[in-house]
Amino acid sequence: MAPDQIVFWVFAPVSVGSAVAMLFQRNAIHAALFLIVNFFTLAVFYLVLGAPFLFAVQIIVYAGAIMVLFLFVIMLLGVDREESLVERLRGQRPLAIVLGLGLAAEIFVTARASLGLARGPANFDETVNVGGNAQALSHVLFRDYFLPFEVTSILLIVAAIAAMVLAQRRERTTVEAAGEAEV
Amino acid sequence: MKTPISYFVVLSAVLFAIGSVGVLVRKNALVIFMSVELQLNAVNLALVAFSRLHGNLNGQVLAFFSMVVAAAEVVVGLAIIVNVYRRMHTANVDDASLLRW
């Protein structure tokens, strides 16, 4: 068995298992911790697929920044209560599980029919990752995808401003307060 | 690499399905949001796998962009959840039913 096959068969069950565990965890913090495990396994898959740069970005951005943000909000809201199991729509949960299984089966059949056992070029690291993955990726990113790259910087600024506007505590305006004083 | 690319695609499909079941089943807004993150990651895995299959780096660049967009989306989404929690004192999506007739 080749090393990458061993890595796949070790980490694929961990990945699916942690995702399922996240689904059934009733405590939000435990769900977040299982999601972090899942992100780490995905980072390992990126490494196997010849994307060491995305491996690092996955750990720094997802397992680091985004999940810390999640845990911070969980702490802020104090959502440590277990959620209710009342169903507003009858049969929603069984139906959702059946549809999810159907979706997975559908993509399984599609992938099997269209991809088969194709493996892609064997010498990926020599032909595509020329001079290292980060260098090759930066050539593609800054040559072919330069405009989208600049647009994402605008997107990040907009998101940062939006978060500040949304999260500030709204003080009652003086006009409102004066109107209430009259009443 | 000896592992067929379709294995990674099927794994990403399974993760995406788990994420969508999570979105439909869970009631806590934060956990629903985490399930959306799981779906985004599943798609990223498929993108990187296809990048490997076709022997170019376009898929990896796309996965990189999707990570940036996911970071922006998390920031705004969590701010909205905090706002809803301040107003309704709950993170349960069933309780935020003002627009329901």
Side-chain angles (χ1 to χ4, degrees):
Chain A
M1 232 175 161
D4 59 85
Q5 280 174 305
I6 297 172
V7 171
F8 180 85
W9 288 115
V10 168
F11 280 94
V14 176
S15 181
V16 174
S18 61
V20 171
M22 186 208 83
L23 197 59
F24 287 108
Q25 210 54 245
R26 293 182 63 188
N27 188 322
I29 292 182
H30 294 167
L33 292 177
F34 274 114
L35 195 59
I36 292 175
V37 174
N38 189 60
F39 286 168
F40 271 105
T41 58
L42 284 177
V44 172
F45 291 134
Y46 293 163
L47 205 55
V48 170
L49 286 166
F53 179 73
L54 285 182
F55 161 80
V57 170
Q58 169 85 5
I59 288 178
I60 294 168
V61 173
Y62 266 111
I66 291 183
M67 288 322 288
V68 166
L69 205 60
F70 262 107
L71 289 172
F72 190 76
V73 169
I74 292 171
M75 183 200 78
L76 205 65
L77 303 189
V79 198
D80 44 9
R81 303 189 280 282
E82 297 192 338
E83 64 185 76
S84 68
L85 290 174
V86 183
E87 279 190 335
R88 284 285 177 90
L89 292 171
R90 193 173 300 134
Q92 185 199 354
R93 286 190 169 120
L95 192 62
I97 291 169
V98 169
L99 287 178
L101 287 175
L103 180 65
E106 200 175 330
I107 305 179
F108 174 77
V109 171
T110 312
R112 207 185 137 152
S114 60
L115 294 178
L117 295 178
R119 287 192 172 85
N123 49 352
F124 188 79
D125 282 326
E126 289 84 43
T127 54
V128 181
N129 283 338
V130 184
N133 177 246
Q135 281 86 344
L137 201 62
S138 70
H139 279 300
V140 179
L141 185 61
F142 294 120
R143 211 171 275 156
D144 305 343
Y145 291 92
F146 190 65
L147 183 66
F149 180 77
E150 293 292 328
V151 172
T152 51
S153 74
I154 298 175
L155 178 75
L156 283 175
I157 294 172
V158 171
I161 296 173
M164 280 194 285
V165 171
L166 278 173
Q168 71 176 345
R169 194 173 284 281
R170 218 167 294 268
E171 302 291 336
R172 284 198 306 170
T173 55
T174 49
V175 178
E176 247 176 274
E180 260 175 53
E182 275 171 30
V183 175
Chain B
M1 202 179 82
K2 285 279 175 51
T3 321
I5 296 297
S6 52
Y7 286 19
F8 290 99
V9 175
V10 168
L11 176 67
S12 112
V14 169
L15 290 179
F16 188 88
I18 292 170
S20 43
V21 170
V23 170
L24 291 173
V25 161
R26 298 299 299 255
K27 301 287 177 199
N28 187 332
L30 280 167
V31 181
I32 289 178
F33 212 50
M34 285 184 220
S35 303
V36 174
E37 289 303 310
L38 185 64
Q39 286 180 297
L40 278 167
N41 269 281
V43 173
N44 279 352
L45 179 63
L47 283 173
V48 177
F50 282 128
S51 169
R52 174 84 197 204
L53 176 71
H54 293 293
N56 60 43
L57 288 174
N58 291 334
Q60 291 189 18
V61 172
L62 212 54
F64 179 71
F65 280 136
S66 122
M67 281 178 184
V68 176
V69 173
E73 171 243 341
V74 163
V75 168
V76 176
L78 285 177
I80 290 174
I81 290 176
V82 169
N83 238 356
V84 168
Y85 187 82
R86 269 196 203 140
R87 202 158 280 216
M88 313 231 175
H89 300 286
T90 175
N92 189 330
V93 287
D94 278 346
D95 294 341
S97 56
L98 274 176
L99 288 177
R100 206 171 161 205
W101 51 281

